[in-house]
Amino acid sequence: MKIFNGLRDFISSNPKKFLFLVLFGFIVVWFLFDDYGLLKRIRMEAEHRMLVERYRQEQQRIADNERRIGNAHNADSIEKAARERYNFRREGETLYIIRGNK
């Protein structure tokens, strides 16, 4: 009860100050939690950085695939791809597969 009496006394003695504090609190809450507020902006920036990084990785994969397609006309590159990717081997050759931890 003392808190309410103190608040009532503060409001009655300083109405302009109270109005300013309420308005300032409203503006701070609005600035932080609105649809275009600070917290949403921070989340959107983090998502943007993640998407830009994913875009760079995909561009790198596209460049690697284009390079492999360009080299696909060589018989040596076809044999190398078959050996590395599909574990093919030549006649009389022993194949050892070593798998790393992922």
Side-chain angles (χ1 to χ4, degrees):
M1 203 60 164
K2 289 182 179 182
I3 294 173
F4 294 117
N5 289 335
L7 182 62
R8 186 179 48 150
D9 292 340
F10 176 74
I11 293 171
S12 63
S13 65
N14 301 315
K16 289 182 183 179
K17 196 175 199 180
F18 176 73
L19 180 64
F20 176 73
L21 287 174
V22 168
L23 191 61
F24 180 74
F26 178 74
I27 290 172
V28 167
V29 168
W30 179 55
F31 182 71
L32 289 176
F33 300 109
D34 189 37
D35 285 342
Y36 299 102
L38 186 63
L39 297 177
K40 187 161 188 168
R41 175 72 179 182
I42 290 170
R43 273 188 248 122
M44 288 170 64
E45 286 294 327
E47 184 179 352
H48 179 261
R49 282 191 298 267
M50 181 191 65
L51 291 173
V52 166
E53 181 61 31
R54 184 187 293 170
Y55 176 76
R56 287 184 187 143
Q57 290 172 355
E58 293 300 322
Q59 288 296 330
Q60 182 64 37
R61 283 185 53 210
I62 289 170
D64 290 343
N65 287 338
E66 286 176 353
R67 189 174 55 248
R68 284 181 32 213
I69 289 170
N71 290 335
H73 300 294
N74 295 339
D76 294 337
S77 66
I78 294 172
E79 181 181 346
K80 180 181 177 186
R83 288 166 153 271
E84 290 177 355
R85 193 167 206 176
Y86 303 111
N87 300 323
F88 284 16
R89 60 183 177 88
R90 290 185 181 153
E91 283 286 325
E93 187 177 59
T94 304
L95 180 67
Y96 296 100
I97 300 174
I98 301 172
R99 298 181 193 252
N101 292 339
K102 288 187 178 181

